[in-house]
Amino acid sequence: MAHKSNYVPQSAFEKWLDERLPVVRLMKDQFIDFPTPRNLNYWWTFGGILIFCLIAQMMTGIVLAMHYVANESMAFESIEHIMRNVNWGWLIRYTHAVGASMFFAAAYLHMFRGLYYGSYKAPREILWILGVVILLLMIATSFMGYSLPWGQMSFWAVTVITNLFSSFDSVIPGLGTRIVQWVWGGFSVGNPTLNRLFSLHYLLPFMIAGVVILHIWALHVPGNNNPTGIDVKRSSEAMPFHPYYTIKDGFALAVFAIVFAAFVFYAPNYLGHSDNYIPADPLVTPTHIVPEWYFLPFYAILRAIPSKLFGVIAMFGAIMVLFVVPWLDSSPIRSLRYRPMLKLFFWAFVVTCVALGYLGAMPPDGIYLLSARLGTFYYFAFFLVVLPVVGRIETPTQMPGSITEDIMSKERRRRAALEGGAPAGAPAAPEKR
Amino acid sequence: MDSLDTLARWRTAQIAGVLVIALLALAAPLRAAEDDQIIRKEAWSFTGPFGIYDRAQLQRGFLVYQEVCASCHGMHYLHYRNLSEAGGPEFPEAAAKVVAASVEVEDGPDDQGEMYMRPGRLSDAFVSPFQNDQEARVANNGALPPDLSLMAKARPDGVNYLYSMLTGYADAPADVSMAEGMYYNTAFAGHQIAMPPPLFDDSIEYTDGTPPTIDNYAKDVTAFMMWAAEPKLEERHRVGFRVMIYLIIVAGLLYVAKRRVWSRGAH
């Protein structure tokens, strides 16, 4: 939403700065005055929450890196050193470990919100694509971070995931093995592997931060979508970001922080795996190698496909397909509020994702395998079949003409309900600020 | 005034909260449970948001570890100083010094270039019973007695598992054929454990009147292992309570502030 700048430099210095680097103007225009639809609900607060998560992960991570030793014979011990001897080390490490889970929980809710309200549709395709890029970077970062304690699950997760590249052997014999050895820096997962994982784990968050800046930029050109999916048509339908959304996001963040803190202080290991408190042992394979919960749906898809190569392709495809969602959806209507048929398919998709998460933790045989295959089928069918087809065949429900009309009709219903059906005493106030 | 609207928004916020918690709560129990291990749930003083360790229990537990477990199992992430630190067994420092001095620690090199043995100090880590894994295996019929520092966190449902395992020795059912040198245990995965039954009634003398039974020994040493794995638990619970109170107040204030700000601009 391009809007006129309201910034007036107050002092000679501000004027001087504004003519050279208008950073104060940028801040005022984009984070104080920025016109934001007035009808955003609490599902729109996860963007701010995610920025908090990224900053929290980076700050705790930088402190952890001051004490952590990236060496196969010292990594595990250095974590215990942090937990026992470093001042507040237990708090910093548990916050970082739980923080990864909270980050993904918030990111997934943020994405489901984008899907539900059609936030990926024109003119926000780039915004959505940048979000998928951030998701990919987050997946890479958290996978590498999970390897660093060099416990049993760390070691074997690295072994299993890096070995996926060996599936290229079935395309060109020897190619996969070469790639795997190049990734490992040797003939098995070892010290060179741990060192590069640590190096990249420190690098990628800064890349995430860079893409986040682009993501916000891409958001601030068309402005926010909103629950009606209807563009803002007059200035009274928007309100300045500050104080209205700073305070709303702030409240949502505080509630999120309560959940976050409950895990950190009362169940810090609940989301982890007990095997990761056993030091890595290349000679002992854990009975079940299970990824962190936020990877389980993708893990279920990987194992649902009988061929290793196609399993790997399906797993990565499950994320890659997100890139083309803006062009798969054939309906011009953004919000699922007015798309009764797709709404059903959407909730079935949400249930499928949760179910795949459950199946990813179960052994891949019998009913579990069959269900995972059905789930994988629906996961892809939702994007490749449902989104293109439903837009062509469904009849949308009656849409309000504008955000104002939507708010007014809600207001009328609210008053009618409050006054027990009696005729409203006064006509609804015209929307004005 | 606009209570319905607020209600609807509040409901959205609630749904969001419930979803986050549900997503996370779903995550953990998703570990495939081992076949038929019998795990008994015990009431522990350190569970729950206000849980703290029972000092006397940790002291008895250390005694059990020292008298029985320590002959095969190390706890090398513990230091002798930890025994007298707050939030643990809190032995008097003099007692911890005596414990430390009872072991020989290799130090050096001295000014002649020689390594030498000296009595342990508070700053030393617990000395493990074996020099290396190979020596441990040779002494234990090929089995490796694991280090116990983190054992309470290194098994699913750690403390209940350890307590059940220590009290889970039984005669093998007739239809189970045992491998040589293995013992039947109802809690151990696969039921065949290489560790001989470690605890016997009356084998360790308790001075505080606690009945000297297998059950009490197992409970006490398990609590001790929990402290060894999670020595900052009491601090964590204490700080956590303050943080929660703080966050709840902040969230309440922000909610009120949000309502006031929006009532200015929303209509």
Side-chain angles (χ1 to χ4, degrees):
Chain A
M1 214 179 301
H3 62 102
K4 246 183 73 205
S5 178
N6 298 321
Y7 175 63
V8 182
Q10 294 299 318
S11 62
F13 172 72
E14 277 184 79
K15 207 172 275 172
W16 180 87
L17 183 67
D18 194 52
E19 284 160 8
R20 287 157 180 80
L21 180 70
V23 64
V24 184
R25 180 183 298 278
L26 177 87
M27 287 303 179
K28 174 129 182 11
D29 292 350
Q30 300 302 322
F31 300 105
I32 293 175
D33 293 343
F34 190 72
T36 310
R38 66 192 308 141
N39 59 338
L40 300 188
N41 58 33
Y42 275 99
W43 296 107
W44 259 265
T45 59
F46 284 99
I49 286 170
L50 283 161
I51 291 191
F52 166 80
C53 287
L54 179 62
I55 293 172
Q57 289 303 87
M58 289 174 95
M59 285 172 56
T60 50
I62 286 169
V63 177
L64 287 172
M66 295 173 186
H67 302 278
Y68 171 75
V69 182
N71 177 288
E72 61 178 345
S73 57
M74 289 184 270
F76 191 89
E77 196 174 340
S78 73
I79 300 278
E80 278 312 306
H81 168 68
I82 290 168
M83 293 295 289
R84 291 158 194 270
N85 303 326
V86 173
N87 290 335
W88 298 103
W90 60 268
L91 177 59
I92 294 164
R93 190 229 165 190
Y94 276 154
T95 304
H96 196 74
V98 171
S101 284
M102 301 307 296
F103 203 160
F104 270 95
Y108 287 154
L109 290 174
H110 190 64
M111 292 170 68
F112 280 128
R113 191 269 301 163
L115 277 177
Y116 187 89
Y117 292 110
S119 301
Y120 50 83
K121 287 188 196 181
R124 297 187 183 82
E125 301 95 323
I126 300 285
L127 173 60
W128 170 264
I129 288 172
L130 288 168
V132 181
V133 172
I134 294 171
L135 176 68
L136 276 175
L137 289 170
M138 276 173 66
I139 289 172
T141 309
S142 60
F143 165 72
M144 290 169 183
Y146 190 61
S147 73
L148 301 182
W150 219 236
Q152 271 291 68
M153 219 31 102
S154 298
F155 180 88
W156 288 97
V158 172
T159 305
V160 169
I161 298 301
T162 51
N163 255 318
L164 292 179
F165 290 107
S166 69
S167 60
F168 287 116
D169 276 344
S170 60
V171 184
I172 302 172
L175 174 69
T177 311
R178 292 293 285 277
I179 294 176
V180 170
Q181 288 175 359
W182 176 72
V183 169
W184 285 345
F187 298 105
S188 61
V189 174
N191 204 46
T193 326
L194 176 58
N195 269 289
R196 60 194 58 186
L197 289 170
F198 179 54
S199 169
L200 295 174
H201 182 68
Y202 207 117
L203 168 70
L204 289 193
F206 294 93
M207 294 174 62
I208 293 179
V211 185
V212 165
I213 290 170
L214 295 180
H215 190 68
I216 295 171
W217 187 359
L219 168 70
H220 280 222
V221 175
N224 293 78
N225 184 27
N226 67 79
T228 64
I230 302 166
D231 288 332
V232 170
K233 286 179 182 146
R234 29 178 163 150
S235 61
S236 65
E237 289 172 351
M239 31 208 344
F241 186 74
H242 179 76
Y244 294 104
Y245 283 103
T246 42
I247 195 82
K248 189 170 181 173
D249 284 0
F251 167 62
L253 177 59
V255 173
F256 182 80
I258 292 173
V259 178
F260 195 145
F263 275 103
V264 169
F265 291 105
Y266 300 125
N269 294 304
Y270 184 73
L271 298 164
H273 197 293
S274 53
D275 273 15
N276 229 23
Y277 280 109
I278 304 170
D281 186 346
L283 301 176
V284 181
T285 317
T287 353
H288 303 282
I289 301 174
V290 197
E292 292 281 86
W293 70 268
Y294 39 81
F295 291 149
L296 288 172
F298 303 111
Y299 195 55
I301 291 173
L302 169 74
R303 298 189 307 178
I305 311 282
S307 140
K308 188 174 174 182
L309 178 64
F310 285 100
V312 174
I313 291 172
M315 184 174 71
F316 285 106
I319 295 161
M320 294 302 161
V321 72
L322 297 173
F323 280 112
V324 289
V325 162
W327 296 278
L328 288 172
D329 189 344
S330 55
S331 168
I333 298 167
R334 294 200 187 104
S335 176
L336 293 199
R337 269 193 191 175
Y338 314 111
R339 301 187 62 189
M341 192 189 277
L342 190 60
K343 196 193 260 183
L344 288 177
F345 282 107
F346 170 82
W347 286 111
F349 176 73
V350 173
V351 170
T352 303
C353 289
V354 175
L356 281 172
Y358 170 77
L359 295 166
M362 294 295 125
D365 46 37
I367 183 75
Y368 296 128
L369 185 59
L370 181 68
S371 314
R373 285 182 174 159
L374 290 173
T376 303
F377 174 78
Y378 183 68
Y379 183 97
F380 286 102
F382 176 76
F383 292 113
L384 301 175
V385 180
V386 172
L387 280 183
V389 171
V390 168
R392 293 192 169 86
I393 59 170
E394 82 181 332
T395 321
T397 51
Q398 179 67 43
M399 282 177 75
S402 66
I403 295 174
T404 307
E405 207 175 285
D406 182 56
I407 294 172
M408 303 269 279
S409 73
K410 279 219 178 87
E411 182 84 352
R412 269 196 299 278
R413 260 179 291 152
R414 183 177 69 82
R415 289 202 181 168
L418 275 184
E419 288 161 26
E431 287 299 310
K432 62 183 174 203
R433 272 219 303 183
Chain B
M1 235 178 67
D2 48 347
S3 56
L4 270 185
D5 217 27
T6 314
L7 210 69
R9 283 191 192 148
W10 184 235
R11 216 180 45 217
T12 317
Q14 277 177 325
I15 294 172
V18 167
L19 263 175
V20 175
I21 296 168
L23 266 175
L24 295 171
L26 261 171
L30 295 188
R31 292 153 205 145
E34 287 308 330
D35 39 50
D36 54 347
Q37 293 169 263
I38 300 172
I39 308 296
R40 292 192 287 154
K41 303 273 179 195
E42 183 60 25
W44 303 98
S45 69
F46 46 79
T47 51
F50 299 102
I52 53 169
Y53 292 115
D54 173 346
R55 309 276 161 243
Q57 185 175 43
L58 293 191
Q59 295 192 358
R60 293 193 303 270
F62 172 69
L63 187 70
V64 176
Y65 168 73
Q66 193 75 332
E67 302 260 312
V68 181
C69 322
S71 55
C72 299
H73 295 276
M75 280 190 124
H76 70 282
Y77 292 127
L78 282 188
H79 290 72
Y80 295 106
R81 62 180 157 82
N82 297 142
L83 291 172
S84 62
E85 280 171 1
E90 296 184 5
F91 284 109
E93 193 172 290
K97 272 185 180 154
V98 171
V99 174
S102 68
V103 296
E104 289 280 293
V105 177
E106 189 180 47
D107 204 344
D110 61 15
D111 50 13
Q112 300 301 307
E114 302 290 334
M115 301 302 283
Y116 59 92
M117 301 303 282
R118 60 159 174 82
R121 300 183 194 128
L122 287 180
S123 56
D124 287 319
F126 273 34
V127 174
S128 296
F130 302 106
Q131 302 274 335
N132 48 53
D133 289 358
Q134 287 72 11
E135 191 190 65
R137 281 188 194 278
V138 165
N140 287 284
N141 197 17
L144 178 66
D147 188 87
L148 298 181
S149 314
L150 285 166
M151 194 48 80
K153 290 198 287 188
R155 297 288 180 276
D157 196 10
V159 279
N160 288 318
Y161 164 74
L162 288 173
Y163 168 68
S164 306
M165 187 274 290
L166 287 169
T167 55
Y169 285 91
D171 291 331
D175 57 333
V176 175
S177 69
M178 302 293 294
E180 207 190 307
M182 302 297 264
Y183 302 86
Y184 189 80
N185 190 300
T186 52
F188 192 72
H191 298 314
Q192 303 208 23
I193 188 168
M195 177 169 75
L199 304 172
F200 302 95
D201 287 337
D202 294 319
S203 56
I204 306 153
E205 201 184 331
Y206 274 168
T207 51
D208 63 355
T210 308
T213 59
I214 291 182
D215 199 66
N216 281 333
Y217 295 150
K219 225 178 280 179
D220 295 346
V221 79
T222 298
F224 177 73
M225 281 189 275
M226 181 61 193
W227 166 75
E230 203 59 31
K232 309 287 182 177
L233 174 139
E234 291 190 9
E235 188 182 10
R236 175 156 59 76
H237 286 175
R238 207 166 47 236
V239 175
F241 180 66
R242 292 176 196 162
V243 169
M244 294 306 276
I245 296 288
Y246 171 81
L247 285 175
I248 288 166
I249 292 172
V250 166
L253 287 175
L254 281 169
Y255 182 67
V256 172
K258 189 253 160 195
R259 292 284 316 244
R260 294 195 67 170
V261 167
W262 277 75
S263 70
R264 267 198 269 135
H267 299 291

